[in-house]
Amino acid sequence: MIRVEDLHKHFGGFRAVDGASMTIEKGSITGLIGPNGAGKTTLFNVIAGVLKPTSGRVFMGDEDVTGLPPHELFHKGLLRTFQLAHEFSSMTVRENLMMVPGKQTGETIVNTWFRRGQIDREEEALRKRADEVLDFLTIRHLTHEKAGNLSGGQKKLLELGRTMMVDANIVFLDEVGAGVNRTLLGTISDAIIRLNKERGYTFCVIEHDMDFIGKLCDPVIVMAEGKVLAQGSAEGIMQNEQVIEAYLGRGLKNKEMIGA
Amino acid sequence: MSTNRQAESSNPWRAPILFAILAILFILEGSWRSAMFSGSWNTSLAILNMGLISAITALGVNMQWGYAGLFNVGVVGFLALGGLAPVLVSLPPVDGGWSSGGLRVLTALVVGLGTLGLAVTLWQRLRRGWVRGLAVTGALIAGFVLYRNIFDPAVIAIEANQSAQYGNLGGLGWPVLISWPVGGLFAAAAAWGVGKVALGLRSDYLAIATLGIGEIIVAVLKNEEWLARGVKNITSIPRPVPYEIALQQNPEFQTAAANWGFPLAEASGIWVKLCYMSLFLVVLLSIILLAELALKSPWGRMMRAIRDNETAAEAMGKDVTGRHLQVFVIGSAVIGIAGAMMITLDGLMAPTGYNPLRYTFLIWVMVIVGGSGNNWGAVLGAILIWFLWIKVEVWGPSLIGVLVTPLPEGGLKEHLLDSAAHMRFIAMGLVLLLVLRFSPRGLVPER
Amino acid sequence: MDILNALVAFLNFVFIPAATYGAQLALGALGVTLIYGILRFSNFAHGDTMAFGTAITIIVTWGLQSLGISLGPLPTALLALPVGIAGTAAVVLLTDRTVYRFYRAQRAAPIILVMASVGVMFLMNGFTRLLIGVDEQRFADGARFVINVRDFREWSGLTEGLALKTTQALTLVVVVVVVWALFWFLNRTKSGKAMRAYSDNEDLALLSGVDPERVVRLTWIIAAALMTIAGVLYGLDKSFKAFNYFQILLPIFAAAIVGGLGNPLGAIAGGFVVAFSEVAITYPWLKIAGYLFPDWQPDGLLQLLSTEYKFAVSFVILIIVLLFKPTGLFSGKSV
Amino acid sequence: MSDSDADKAFGKRGNRDASIVNPRPPGTVDGTRKSGPTGPGRAGDPFLIGDGMTGGYGRGPDILHDCTIAVEKGEIAVIVGPNGAGKSTAMKAIFGMLDLRQGSVRLNGRDITALNPQDRVKAGMGFVPQVNNIFPSMTVEENLEMGAFIRDDDIRETLQQVYELFPAVADKRKQAAGELSGGQRQQVAVSRALMTRPDLLMLDEPTAGVSPIVMDELFDRIIAIARGGLPVLMVEQNAQQAMMIADKAYVLVQGRNAHTGTGKELMANDEVRRTFLGG
Amino acid sequence: EDIKLAASLGFTGALESLAPDMLGGAELAAKEVTDSGNLLDGSTVEIVQSDSTCTDAAAAVSALERVVAEGIKGIVGGMCSGETIASLENVAVPNGIVMISPSATSPALSTIEDQGLFFRTSPSDARQGEVMSDIIKSRGIESVALTYTNNDYGKGLADSFQAAYEAAGGTVTINAAHDDGKADYSAEVAALAAAGGDALVVAGYVDQGGSGITRASLDTGAFETFVFPDGMISQALVDNFGTELATSFGQNPAAEGEGRDNYIATAEAAGFDGSSAFSAEAYDAAAMILLAMQAAGSSDPAAYKDKVMEIANEPGEKIMPGELAKGLELLAAGTDIDYVGATAVELVGPGESAGVYREVEFPEGELSVVGFH
Ligand SMILES: Nc1ncnc2c1ncn2[C@@H]1O[C@H](COP(=O)(O)OP(=O)(O)OP(=O)(O)O)[C@@H](O)[C@H]1O
Ligand SMILES: Nc1ncnc2c1ncn2[C@@H]1O[C@H](COP(=O)(O)OP(=O)(O)OP(=O)(O)O)[C@@H](O)[C@H]1O
Ligand SMILES: CC(C)C[C@H](N)C(=O)O
Ligand SMILES: [Mg+2]
Ligand SMILES: [Mg+2]
């Protein structure tokens, strides 16, 4: 689905992504983990067109999509969420969803003057679809709430909901779990699995919560210092010495001081 | 932040009440002769007419800032460019202007634009490296030399043609109303160029670029005599409405004036101003109608989303730079239309008058005081601030007169009274600060 | 010899004037940038506050002169400067207290602060005129020249002359000293660090025990000092006229933006970029070419564009600078 | 950084033009507020107690409802709860960053309800917020110096201690803090609070977005600090680990105390585990 | 009757420093007339200010509309040509009010459609260019650099001068504009210096860019000889430059004789600077409106507009500044007068001053008149 070849992204002299190559298979839920500063978010941003790579190529299917702007990638079915939620805070939850589909008649300014009828019909259909998504995400009661007033986890659900307003091919999720209550995270992972099964979305997920990764992802790719360190099934990765050394660690050292 | 916004819940009656107060101010100005008001309908309508033009300008700025967060500090430039339209459209052609060098000037302009186009194409086509730099520089220099070689002699020829009275190309002799949309087109074209360079980059670019384009346009108008006589000014631009003198000589009008009970001169002035007012109102209301239709539809939703969070909007498939360019061009076009209307109303094109304090900052004050993002707010702010801008000229000195009464006669009192004219600025500053203090989000806040 | 002549002509007409003007702009831009970095808005009242500070200084200078106090070859205004700074600081603090503080406490959108500063601009504008009137005032005294044209010609035997005015030399020296002092203050002292911290992250500065209102006051005082110094140097070098101080606002903002708003180093660089692009681009190279290539007799003045377009040209230069340095000349580090 | 903080500029609204207003996020606390007087504490108070706190942001609705949080010397107290429960709000309330409508905050035998945050720092409280908890353009060392801002004595010794505690921070001391990765930033943030030599340390989700190995590291440090006598009050979403080290734990739901107990007790409570800890 | 006259001058804006002395002139005339008690059976005259801002035509028009509403019977103003034209076309003509400008000198005003309502007490710049060219030629200077303030005044003057000078065989090495109120003039001076020339013609304003250019040219040694037209000649110029102008010269409209000196003295007594540019012209403008009213026996502009030319020109008894009372008396008695005033008023063509210019030099740092043209 997505193939990255020898990708480099340098900030000044700093190599945030330093020759990463990987493939994300169609229909998979691929996990992407690695220490802080490994370059995961940067890699996402390059794939999603937010940053231009210093060198290297990104392919979507067989098409070279390197350096395309985000909005064009969107129309090719590549959607992404953000490490910190990027809701449209002054708009209602439903508006947040309704603005997503592209090529709406009413988005052309001349049409808003002369084709009100068609716009109204389209809006009706959109509203229906948005409500379905809200039902799916179990946040229908927040339909008219300003998105800025949602709590952290609900914002993350909304981010996910936006990806459901159109037929996406591949969805990139950046730390959906950080700062989210673990119970709610369960709901989110169920939603991801359903989308994957029912709608055939491909996912690529960054996360530091290994339970979440373990439950959801196969395969898992480990990045460190801008390179791919290891790749394999979740269990395999968690046994990998290098990965434990660089990323997972061996638990608390001060155990004896707990519960004094 | 958000809390303080929610708390100040918007009252649906707020805008109508404020507009009513504004209307009362104008009625007082028209009918009550006193220390505060002149009691002349002519004055009242004159202020109103200019206020309506300011309102249209403010609408344009509001589109750019309120809808899209684009900071345009070159309002004066787009206004001036729009003002060029009545000159080029409605003045009669100058005898011998075109034959002395008109075609050559046009050729030169084509060469100039072609050079820029060529340079851009070279820049895009060639690979990075010193060859590209050299080629582009070479093309630019060659193009510039060629341009100057065609342009300079042509200009000298045109400017030499009856230079005391004309020295310019003149216009097409078409009805002046046509020049309003043309003014919009002029401004839109300039905005497109500026936007292409500056939008999508860091937002400061737009500030510098618009500040620059404002200066450049005004400089061009001042110095390119072949275009609109430069600082020598163009006068007697045709009107879309009757002339007072003609009215005064028209017997029908004379009887009508007598029936209303106004002196003839005054009645003719009022009538002309009412004609202008209707024209301006038609333009203003159409622009508002179109803007509101667009805002209350998916386009408006998209713009709000972009303004709210550009990164996310881009990721949701919205072409942020494209939309910004669109709004910037449309907003500038509206400013351009206002510029053309203003020159029509003045009947005079005097480029030295385009100063940024009056035509950029004051417009900004209007938009922000009115409530950015809200069309009605912009209109209200514009008319109100214009009214005050004119009236503080009277109120300022009376204020100082009141303030100094307790002072003993002498140097200080003298000095203060002599400086009364500067009270205009002090009064304006005070008014502005007070309005901002009591409605920090503008008089009619967005939604 | 001819090369020397060319060089002297260039120094005399382009380099020295542009450097002086650039230094004046740099000081102004420094103040704008400081307020932008710490108080988070562009202060449109900057130019008129400069005028106000200068007006106070001039009045004190007159007082000193009438008492017969002078500084020998240096302008007496330097003695009056501290009073001017103190007066300006007092006024600026008063405006902060009565105007800006309200919006700060309200956490109002910053554009509101910008517009409030327009209001303050009008007020300052009016008060300056009430204080000193609208007329042009010259208050430079002391020796006018460090080197003047005639002496230089005699001394060097060149055809071209070179002049360096006391005020020009003074401007350059003062700018270096002020900039050094400012950087030392910001980077080395506790208060300076508190200011940088506040600019970086207001809430966290508060959580570290920084008193935000103290930082704000300090910022205004430093800004007032910068404004007054810039205004007085400018007034000494050219002359004082209230209206011109509004006009200088535009180039000051241009300088601050090109340098990368919020960045002091950038403000300085920006000032010089603006000044040099104004002066150098419209310079007719005829004379210098005449020295360098005595046989070449071009018919024009070898002037790229006429001086009417100097401001416009300088903007084009600024845009080009930005195209190559998209974050301003010095991005990243900020106040 | 690239896609996170940049667009918060105007309270998450548009009009973010950098040429007239500074796009860095503005503060959220009213720095102009003056402190009121402090009062006496109550007999039998714990070292710190936020007692029966009720309040919300600005003129908005109450977020906290009669919420009580306390911590004793040498202990770790942990606050958990669903998103939006008011955990961060409770921390801010204790720190004086929002006006309480009811209830009081008492520290070390004094009632400090009327103090503003600056003065609470002087009273010995150290706080690491959930987000924006470093000075990005200042070097790591300057960040630490800012931590010691209220101190007039020689800070070199404390600096040395902190560097020993966090070697990763010591390595980067000359680098701008904004250039560090997420985990390193969290360590800098905690170090900064320690530089104050506080009598109490408050941490809001110090481990969010931090890799497992760094999280363990952080928890290790926190345990060490607490056992050194400095009471620690923290909010955590990594509830399972947090409960393990907690001497006392509060579950907040919709601004109210829902459950209180030792970490072990709450872990043992099935309902709490299922609904709040994701067990 | 209580007669109101408007003074439509730029009290704020680019030329705000000239306005107070011009207003002083107009008020002096009004006071003189009121005090005499001779005008139309003891009418009093009041001057109401209207801020024309000099540059903002729209604001000028609005402000003037306002005072028209107060019932003014005549306008002294406008100040700058651009704004004057707008006020004339939009206010004076439609309302049929007489307008006498003391200072708008653009040649365009000579040909404007004014319904006989517009006059000016200053000459058109077309004439000054010729005079200046003659003076320069007569001093044997064959090449000059030329800089002008970038408005209709500066441009018009520069063009007419260049045409006259080149026709007489002189060379203008550069003809460059400078904008007033700019922060810095280094670029302009650099350009002028590079172009060279035996003298620099500064067609600017003394308290605006003109002085800035002169100052910088002197300091850098770019020029030593300057030629100053009317916008520059004033006491301020001498104060600013003193002995540095030893080889410079210039001309400005000012008639021979004691009229001007009288006026300056009276002005000083009244507390303002009568030698300031266009102050005397403003006095004359106001005086002429009032004299014309007296001649017509009515303050109605429609009636007195035709009298303006009559009282201004021969034949008749000469009236000097300070003698308005006498003039009014004579007119009341039906005697013809020829108003000379402070500027030796002589209206020609469409009602503008014919223009007598005095040639001045600055030896020993003093302004001295060397002849008249
Ligand atoms: N705009 C930038 N300028 C300079 N350096 C940057 C920039 N963006 C990221 N970096 C650096 O690149 C490195 C990789 O950052 P990135 O955000 O990709 O890490 P990450 O793997 O997503 O880490 P985390 O798990 O903490 O989110 C970091 O060291 C970071 O400091
Ligand atoms: N500045 C603010 N203004 C108004 N309401 C706010 C503000 N900050 C938070 N809230 C609201 O207060 C409630 C509690 O927020 P708080 O940040 O305390 O939650 P939390 O328990 O820390 O959640 P999380 O685990 O997501 O960090 C939420 O409903 C939130 O929308
Ligand atoms: C006030 C004057 C200096 C104005 C100038 N003569 C003009 O016509 O614009
Ligand atoms: Mg990341
Ligand atoms: Mg929280």
Side-chain angles (χ1 to χ4, degrees), chain B residues 6-169:
Chain B
Q6 284 150 13
E8 205 180 298
S9 60
S10 45
N11 177 346
W13 288 102
R14 197 180 166 106
I17 290 176
L18 286 167
F19 270 102
I21 294 178
L22 193 59
I24 292 174
L25 280 178
F26 275 95
I27 292 173
L28 286 177
E29 174 70 22
S31 58
W32 183 32
R33 173 163 305 189
S34 65
M36 298 278 287
F37 300 103
S38 68
S40 145
W41 285 105
N42 261 314
T43 321
S44 181
L45 286 172
I47 301 177
L48 180 62
N49 280 342
M50 203 53 212
L52 290 174
I53 290 176
S54 304
I56 295 173
T57 320
L59 273 181
V61 173
N62 186 38
M63 288 175 188
Q64 298 175 338
W65 172 255
Y67 304 179
L70 303 175
F71 189 60
N72 179 356
V73 228
V75 181
V76 61
F78 296 104
L79 212 56
L81 203 53
L84 191 56
V87 175
L88 296 187
V89 168
S90 71
L91 280 186
V94 169
D95 262 352
W98 277 97
S99 56
S100 57
L103 284 180
R104 276 182 293 162
V105 162
L106 285 189
T107 322
L109 292 181
V110 171
V111 167
L113 285 179
T115 307
L116 287 182
L118 180 68
V120 172
T121 335
L122 283 176
W123 183 262
Q124 283 164 351
R125 290 287 163 77
L126 292 180
R127 292 184 148 268
R128 217 189 166 99
W130 62 271
V131 181
R132 175 166 81 170
L134 214 64
V136 172
T137 323
L140 281 176
I141 293 179
F144 185 72
V145 170
L146 183 63
Y147 163 80
R148 288 286 293 263
N149 272 327
I150 309 179
F151 187 73
D152 290 357
V155 163
I156 291 173
I158 298 175
E159 292 180 358
N161 174 38
Q162 309 176 59
S163 78
Q165 252 147 13
Y166 300 107
N168 63 330
L169 282 177

Side-chain angles (χ1 to χ4, degrees), chain A residues 10 22 28 40 43 46 50 55 80 83 85 98 107 150 169 204 206 223 226:
Chain A
H10 303 172
M22 63 181 67
S28 70
K40 307 180 293 293
L43 179 71
V46 171
V50 175
S55 69
R80 58 94 52 100
Q83 183 160 1
M98 284 174 66
E107 288 191 348
L150 300 186
N169 295 324
C204 178
I206 298 182
M223 277 185 77

Side-chain angles (χ1 to χ4, degrees), chain E residues 84-340:
Chain E
T84 304
I85 293 172
S87 303
L88 178 64
E89 292 193 333
N90 291 303
V91 185
V93 168
N95 289 295
I97 297 178
V98 168
M99 191 167 178
I100 304 190
S101 170
S103 60
T105 51
S106 161
L109 277 161
S110 306
T111 52
I112 200 160
E113 277 294 319
D114 65 354
Q115 312 288 332
L117 291 166
F118 181 76
F119 307 88
R120 50 180 163 177
T121 49
S122 49
S124 159
D125 292 325
R127 165 121 176 84
Q128 187 176 182
E130 291 162 15
V131 172
M132 181 153 64
S133 164
D134 292 348
I135 296 177
I136 295 175
K137 284 300 269 184
S138 72
R139 291 177 180 244
I141 294 174
E142 293 300 329
S143 96
V144 295
L146 166 59
T147 181
Y148 60 91
T149 173
N150 205 4
N151 62 19
D152 46 356
Y153 158 68
K155 176 76 185 168
L157 179 56
D159 281 358
S160 77
F161 165 70
Q162 184 172 13
Y165 190 57
E166 282 175 351
T171 314
V172 174
T173 57
I174 183 172
N175 180 356
H178 63 263
D179 281 303
D180 281 330
K182 278 287 181 267
D184 180 82
Y185 292 106
S186 313
E188 284 80 357
V189 171
L192 295 169
D198 297 337
L200 176 63
V201 178
V202 187
Y205 298 122
V206 65
D207 56 355
Q208 285 284 345
S211 280
I213 297 258
T214 311
R215 178 84 274 157
S217 302
L218 282 168
D219 287 349
T220 53
F223 293 93
E224 280 173 2
T225 306
F226 297 85
V227 186
F228 299 115
D230 62 340
M232 295 295 294
I233 307 266
S234 77
Q235 191 52 40
L237 185 72
V238 179
D239 294 345
N240 282 350
F241 299 101
T243 54
E244 291 172 282
L245 299 180
T247 57
S248 301
F249 56 95
Q251 78 289 324
N252 69 336
E256 292 164 78
E258 78 276 34
R260 191 179 171 84
D261 306 336
N262 278 351
Y263 171 71
I264 291 171
T266 329
E268 202 176 327
F272 66 94
D273 177 12
S275 66
S276 161
F278 302 110
S279 170
E281 281 82 353
Y283 173 87
D284 286 348
M288 278 161 59
I289 292 179
L290 298 170
L291 291 171
M293 284 178 181
Q294 181 80 335
S298 152
S299 66
D300 179 7
Y304 78 77
K305 70 175 183 186
D306 302 325
K307 297 285 177 191
V308 176
M309 293 293 269
E310 273 176 34
I311 55 114
N313 293 351
E314 305 208 288
E317 187 145 346
K318 301 237 180 284
I319 301 296
M320 302 310 265
E323 297 180 345
L324 297 184
K326 175 175 151 206
L328 291 169
E329 233 167 71
L330 290 173
L331 285 171
T335 321
D336 218 352
I337 64 163
D338 171 17
Y339 182 67
V340 176

Side-chain angles (χ1 to χ4, degrees), chain C residues 93-146:
Chain C
L93 287 176
L94 187 75
T95 40
D96 182 72
R97 194 55 227 257
T98 48
V99 179
Y100 300 119
R101 200 177 111 124
F102 169 78
Y103 302 105
R104 237 188 350 266
Q106 289 249 314
R107 325 238 123 243
I111 182 71
I112 299 295
L113 284 162
V114 176
M115 288 302 137
S117 81
V118 173
V120 173
M121 173 182 94
F122 283 128
L123 286 182
M124 285 287 183
N125 187 309
F127 287 136
T128 308
R129 285 160 166 77
L130 284 187
L131 190 66
I132 198 165
V134 293
D135 294 336
E136 184 163 8
Q137 310 288 355
R138 283 177 190 281
F139 59 106
D141 49 8
R144 288 204 350 103
F145 289 98
V146 178

